[in-house]
């Protein structure tokens, strides 16, 4: 009896997570990817002989599904820098969770020891975390993060230095628009959990090497196929399965997982002739951008920490790639969500971020040897209260959806992407076992 087969459209984190899980169960998977680079919206980019990521991603210890898949596909601890939860804004804030203590002591001690906060702010933070715990980490439907912070009487300083930066980093959505429930879910599984769950995990390798490339190797050893540079233009249902327009094999597939970005998924769903409503809902999803400014300042130029917060705009975070396995002196600055920075030409935005670093570090910096602004205009869906997020099932049996925009208790992160891929794999496997 021949092994079951399945097709996956899209070689980002969601599609490859699905393919790896199916291959682990003995399914022969073919992955179609229009690009020649793996990773989707989390990939390596070649710019002027530099290898950089199209955006700076961080993981937290609570996001365990991706770390499980990293181990499954041969990843090593050296691929990630593990940092205790640290919020460092030069000259204004230094908060570090205490190492080696059980929850909630690790966070409580860190808050009580924090520099840059008065006792009122420290007790207000503890009051918020205790209040959320007492409520079972549930908030009223429709509540924004701004409303939540107002409810728990968080000071302007706390909002500016801690809650707003954490919200924008986790949800890529400003506090006035962001879903409080999703934000609370992240707090529940990180700050309110054990010390390992609140750790920051920062990749030391590029985002294609972190998971997509090992996943491709894993598939190759299990009779999987990865067809890069192969765009699928339409999905045609037939009595025998789904014909994929662009598949050189030309055979129908009983099980197909659509794991593209949402702005590509809508057109492919519409091409089936049976998913028009779902396609329209996905096409109408609101999105938020992310801009990453790379500044190559030269050897010996470092930030005070591997990751620092920036409070004066336009960037919110800066990462010392030299401390994180990259070229010495390479700094990555991140600007999340919509804002006034979008009106600036790229060269002016690079100059503005360079000047911001000088102000916040309190010292002159050399002119960049090389610089680049990488803009992802639709980096993630906007994580607002009540925003529509589809499930993994479509109106057509055997056609599935995977991606970071799929319904989840978490925001649109790499963890959400791989969880949706694993869920699709479980659904596909269930149908295959039933003869589908």
């Amino acid at each position: 009896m021949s092994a079951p087969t399945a097709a996956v459209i899209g070689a980002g984190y969601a599609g490859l997570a699905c393919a790896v899980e199916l291959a682990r169960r003995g399914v022969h998977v073919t992955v179609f990817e229009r690009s020649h680079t793996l990773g989707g919206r989390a990939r390596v980019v070649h710019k002027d002989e530099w290898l950089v990521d199209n955006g700076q991603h961080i993981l937290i210890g609570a996001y365990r599904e991706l770390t499980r898949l990293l181990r499954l596909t041969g990843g090593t601890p050296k691929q990630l820098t593990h940092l205790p939860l640290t919020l460092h804004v030069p000259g204004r804030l230094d908060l570090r969770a205490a190492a080696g203590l059980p929850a909630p002591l690790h966070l409580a001690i860190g808050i009580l020891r924090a520099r840059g906060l008065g006792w009122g702010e420290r007790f207000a933070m503890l009051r918020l975390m205790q209040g959320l715990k007492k409520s079972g980490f549930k908030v009223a439907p429709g509540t924004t993060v701004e409303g939540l912070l107002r409810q728990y009487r968080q000071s302007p300083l706390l909002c500016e230095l801690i809650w707003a930066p954490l919200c924008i980093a986790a949800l890529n959505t400003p506090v006035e628009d962001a879903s409080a429930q999703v934000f609370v879910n992240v707090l529940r599984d990180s700050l309110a959990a054990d010390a390992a769950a609140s750790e920051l995990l920062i990749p030391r390798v590029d985002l294609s090497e972190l998971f997509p490339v090992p996943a491709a190797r894993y598939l190759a050893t299990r009779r999987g196929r990865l067809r890069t540079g192969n765009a699928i233009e339409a999905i045609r249902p037939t009595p025998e399965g789904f014909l994929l327009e662009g598949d050189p094999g030309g055979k129908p597939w009983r099980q197909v997982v659509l794991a593209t970005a949402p702005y590509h998924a809508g057109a492919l769903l519409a091409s089936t002739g049976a998913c028009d409503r779902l396609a329209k809902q996905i096409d109408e999803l609101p999105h938020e951008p992310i801009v990453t400014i790379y500044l190559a300042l030269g050897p010996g130029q470092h930030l005070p920490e591997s990751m620092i917060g920036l409070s004066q705009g336009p960037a919110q975070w800066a990462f010392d790639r030299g401390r994180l396995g990259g070229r010495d002196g390479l700094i990555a600055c991140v600007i999340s969500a919509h804002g006034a920075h979008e009106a600036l030409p790229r060269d002016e935005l690079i100059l503005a971020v360079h000047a911001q670093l000088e102000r916040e570090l309190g010292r002159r910096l050399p002119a960049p040897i090389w610089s680049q602004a990488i803009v992802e205009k639709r980096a993630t869906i906007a994580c607002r209260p009540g925003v529509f997020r589809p499930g993994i099932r479509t109106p057509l049996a055997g056609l599935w959806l995977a991606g970071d925009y799929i319904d989840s208790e978490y925001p649109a992160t790499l963890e959400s992407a791989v969880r949706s891929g694993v869920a699709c794999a479980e659904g596909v496997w269930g149908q295959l076992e039933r003869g589908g």
Side-chain angles (χ1 to χ4, degrees):
M1 183 177 178
S2 60
T5 61
V8 175
I9 305 172
Y13 275 63
L16 289 171
C18 179
V20 164
E21 279 297 299
L22 287 172
R24 186 173 68 85
R25 291 169 164 87
V27 179
H28 292 177
V29 187
T30 298
V31 181
F32 299 92
E33 169 56 51
R34 69 170 57 234
S35 173
H36 289 282
T37 303
L38 305 180
R41 284 167 292 144
R43 66 189 183 280
V44 69
V45 175
H46 297 253
K47 291 282 187 181
D48 306 324
E49 300 182 358
W50 289 73
L51 291 178
V52 295
D53 291 321
N54 71 315
Q56 175 66 55
H57 287 259
I58 62 173
L59 314 176
I60 58 175
Y63 291 174
R64 292 190 169 94
E65 195 63 11
L66 178 53
T67 53
R68 179 186 70 83
L69 288 168
L70 294 180
R71 292 192 299 270
L72 175 65
T73 54
T76 69
K78 293 181 179 179
Q79 290 179 307
L80 295 168
T81 293
H82 292 244
L83 299 174
L85 174 70
T86 301
L87 298 175
H88 181 83
V89 180
R92 301 195 66 191
L93 174 71
D94 190 76
L95 189 159
R96 302 165 190 266
L101 293 178
L105 285 177
H106 71 298
L107 178 62
I109 296 298
I111 291 173
L112 293 175
R113 290 177 176 171
R115 295 196 298 271
L117 299 179
W119 285 106
E121 276 92 15
R122 295 171 185 172
F123 287 128
M125 283 190 70
L126 294 172
R127 180 174 65 245
L128 182 146
M129 295 304 297
Q130 283 297 110
L132 293 178
K133 183 177 181 181
K134 187 176 180 179
S135 71
F137 293 94
K138 299 293 182 184
V139 301
T143 305
T144 64
V145 172
E146 185 178 63
L148 177 76
L149 299 177
R150 191 163 51 244
Q151 175 187 342
Y152 282 96
R153 306 190 307 282
Q154 300 298 288
S155 71
L157 183 68
L158 284 177
C159 294
E160 177 194 359
L161 294 183
I162 295 177
W163 299 124
L166 286 179
C167 175
I168 204 87
L171 276 64
N172 192 34
T173 307
V175 291
E176 60 268 22
D177 296 326
S179 165
Q181 186 59 68
V182 175
F183 185 56
V184 166
N185 293 343
V186 175
L187 295 181
R188 176 197 66 203
D189 294 347
S190 56
L191 301 191
D194 58 60
S198 65
E199 279 188 334
L200 304 177
L201 311 180
I202 307 177
R204 297 184 63 84
V205 296
D206 68 62
L207 292 174
S208 292
E209 282 290 338
L210 180 64
F211 173 64
V213 170
R217 288 196 291 263
Y218 183 92
L219 293 176
T221 63
R222 287 157 179 81
R223 301 189 65 180
R225 299 183 67 187
L226 183 59
R227 301 190 64 92
T228 56
N230 191 157
I232 298 300
E233 304 295 347
I235 302 172
R236 311 292 186 196
T238 73
E240 293 77 32
F242 299 97
L243 285 173
L244 305 182
E245 190 175 301
D247 174 9
K251 66 175 183 178
W253 298 88
R254 288 286 186 184
Q255 300 291 326
V256 174
V257 177
L258 180 49
T260 67
Y263 43 84
H264 294 311
L268 287 171
L269 285 170
S271 71
T272 67
C275 301
D276 288 349
R277 182 172 181 271
L278 179 58
K280 185 174 185 294
Q281 289 173 311
I282 291 174
D283 283 340
E284 291 175 347
L285 284 170
H287 289 83
E288 294 280 358
I290 295 178
V291 181
T292 305
I293 305 293
Y294 287 100
L295 302 172
L297 301 178
Q301 294 294 323
H302 291 289
L303 300 178
E305 302 282 343
S306 299
M307 167 185 166
I308 64 171
L310 300 173
S311 61
Q312 299 174 26
Q316 296 112 355
W317 301 94
F319 296 81
D320 189 333
R321 296 306 310 176
R323 293 177 182 268
L324 297 167
R327 289 203 198 185
D328 193 23
L330 180 62
I331 308 300
C333 301
V334 179
I335 311 172
S336 296
H338 289 296
H341 65 278
E342 293 174 281
L344 294 176
R346 294 194 186 195
D347 287 348
E348 290 185 26
L349 184 56
I350 290 169
L351 289 174
V353 170
H354 184 270
Q356 178 189 5
L357 273 182
E358 289 189 324
R359 288 195 309 272
E360 301 209 30
L361 294 176
R363 60 184 171 91
R364 292 295 300 272
L365 296 173
I369 301 166
W370 173 85
S371 62
Q372 189 66 232
I374 298 179
V375 181
E376 285 284 340
K377 293 184 178 179
R378 294 178 289 187
T380 70
I381 60 168
C383 192
R384 301 171 185 164
V387 72
F388 167 77
R389 295 177 74 171
I392 60 173
R393 296 180 181 273
T394 73
L396 293 171
L399 180 61
W400 308 80
L401 289 177
D404 60 4
Y405 67 100
I406 296 300
D407 189 27
S408 169
E409 62 178 0
Y410 286 150
T413 59
L414 295 181
E415 178 71 7
S416 292
V418 300
R419 285 190 180 200
S420 74
V422 171
C424 279
E426 291 170 351
V428 168
W429 180 249
Q431 286 201 3
L432 288 172
E433 283 194 312
R434 293 191 294 272

